[in-house]
């Protein structure tokens, strides 16, 4: 049986339940998305865009899906304490694939069942409600909300249906990608970040994605980000897993950057080796916009990230960066497409991998310069370090240029630690292990240094060092484990 068939059958059985517990903007897209998924199925390794990651295999295990939107017994304000000094953020949470409202933990009841593919139930551990913790959580929410500018909207799709419907699905084309079609067919909620015209959000917005379950769980997360003309905002999204069970998370993010807007998106993945993440990010930039995208994978099981950016207005500028640190049998695959559709735009792309033990990495980057997109300035760099002979890296930088007055370059390298540098350091009394760590740390620093938040940059330097030393068990003040 095709791996898609179990989900096709599941949709037929649970469509009414899906719709009854979903935000209306997602219901409007659901039928078309499912038809596209049924036609395409999951991407296969025969497709050039997915040749390095077996997507169908990711969906083979029997995962539960929470169609009834039962509350998971966790108060993220109790278990998560961000340990980034000197960085005050507006803090928000998504638990699995649902936006976590400020008062939801007050309404939580212990659940003993949730909908799964096999229609069986599973138990959830009870949590007690402590008045002191509730008050603390409310105070945190109040402080977070006060950091966001007036008229900025950050909340669930359910509460802003009309606004969400104007944008949702216009960049993420379900007809072109099976993962996007699957996510749209099964997603039930999402997070909206909306910044009105000329509004500057001074404080960074921090979104914590928490995976929580007692049994293997499949979640489908949606995020919609809209910056109108002249708006400015910065978003830090962190992925964490609370439990040792296997998780599969599909994610679709759509970003609309209006004229002369400025937007930073930092994604930090710190889950565990039983987590699979399949993320598609779609960005549209209008004239004069400036966007920085930086995705950092510190701990994972299998990660596949696809980033598609359309430079649709002249003088738009994109900085696209990524970093992956993998060991054991971890797998990290990044594919990027930067579409220069109009003249006089700039893009700068930098991805770096450090692979240890039997880890596997893949990078495929396409820069497309369309006819008439004169005066394009595009640079693409992929550099990779394999610390062992068993580690594997596959890289495929690509340029397609259909204009004659452009500046474009691309390059990729795959190498091992510099023996001469190691010898030089050991001659000066530095132990071999410490010398290896210093070289690997210096190698990825270039990506960390692109961060435009000094406090976050300093914290990432520390987290990267701890990751290389094998000390990234969890943040000092955080109950969420990052194994």
């Amino acid at each position: 049986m095709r791996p898609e068939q179990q989900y096709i059958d599941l949709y037929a059985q649970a469509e009414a339940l899906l719709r009854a517990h979903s935000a209306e903007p997602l219901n409007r897209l659901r039928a078309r998305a499912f038809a596209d998924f049924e036609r395409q199925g999951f991407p296969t390794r025969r497709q050039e865009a997915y040749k390095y990651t077996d997507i169908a295999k990711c969906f083979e295990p029997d995962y539960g899906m929470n169609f009834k939107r039962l509350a998971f017994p966790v108060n993220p304000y109790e278990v998560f304490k961000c340990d980034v000094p000197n960085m005050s953020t507006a803090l928000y949470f998504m638990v699995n694939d649902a936006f976590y409202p400020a008062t939801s933990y007050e309404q939580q009841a212990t659940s003993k069942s949730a909908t799964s593919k096999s229609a069986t139930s599973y138990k959830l551990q009870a949590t007690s409600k402590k008045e002191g913790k509730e008050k603390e959580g409310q105070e945190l929410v109040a402080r977070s909300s006060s950091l966001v500018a007036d008229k900025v909207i950050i909340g669930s799709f359910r509460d802003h249906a009309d606004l969400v419907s104007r944008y949702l699905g216009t960049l993420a084309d379900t007809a072109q990608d099976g993962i996007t079609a699957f996510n749209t067919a099964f997603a039930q909620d999402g997070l909206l970040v909306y910044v009105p015209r000329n509004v500057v959000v001074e404080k960074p917005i921090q979104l914590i994605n928490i995976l929580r379950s007692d049994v293997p769980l499949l979640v489908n997360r949606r995020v919609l980000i809209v910056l109108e003309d002249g708006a400015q905002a910065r978003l830090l999204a962190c992925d964490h897993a609370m439990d040792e069970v296997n998780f599969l998370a599909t994610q679709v993010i759509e970003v609309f950057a209006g004229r002369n807007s400025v937007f930073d998106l930092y994604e930090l993945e710190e889950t565990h080796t039983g987590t699979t993440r399949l993320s598609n990010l779609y960005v549209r930039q209008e004239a004069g916009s400036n966007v920085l995208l930086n995705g950092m994978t510190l701990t994972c099981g299998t990660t596949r990230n696809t980033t598609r950016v359309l430079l649709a207005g002249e003088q738009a500028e994109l900085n696209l960066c990524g970093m992956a640190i993998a060991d054991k049998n971890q797998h990290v695959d990044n594919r990027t497409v930067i579409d220069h559709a109009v003249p006089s735009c700039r893009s700068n792309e930098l991805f770096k991998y450090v692979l240890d033990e039997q880890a596997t990495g893949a990078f495929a980057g396409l820069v497309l310069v369309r006819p008439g997109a004169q005066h394009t300035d595009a640079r693409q760099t992929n550099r990779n370090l394999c610390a062992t002979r068993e580690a594997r890296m596959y890289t495929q930088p690509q340029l397609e240029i259909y204009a004659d007055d452009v500046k474009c370059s691309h390059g990729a390298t795959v190498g091992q630690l510099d023996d001469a540098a190691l010898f030089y350091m050991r001659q000066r009394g530095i132990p071999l292990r410490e010398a290896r760590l210093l070289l690997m740390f210096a190698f990825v620093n270039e990506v960390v240094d692109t961060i435009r938040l000094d406090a976050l940059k300093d914290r990432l330097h520390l987290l990267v060092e701890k990751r290389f030393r094998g000390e990234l068990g969890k943040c000092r003040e955080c109950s969420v484990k990052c194994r």
Side-chain angles (χ1 to χ4, degrees), residues 281-303:
L281 168 61
Y282 299 86
V283 181
R284 179 185 174 94
Q285 292 187 231
E286 302 299 343
S289 60
N290 186 300
V291 171
L292 169 62
L293 308 173
N294 193 326
M296 294 159 283
T297 300
L298 294 185
T299 310
C300 71
T302 296
T303 294

Side-chain angles (χ1 to χ4, degrees), residues 403-417:
D404 54 13
D405 186 6
V406 301
K407 295 180 183 177
C408 295
S409 65
H410 74 301
T413 60
V414 180
Q416 295 183 316
L417 291 171

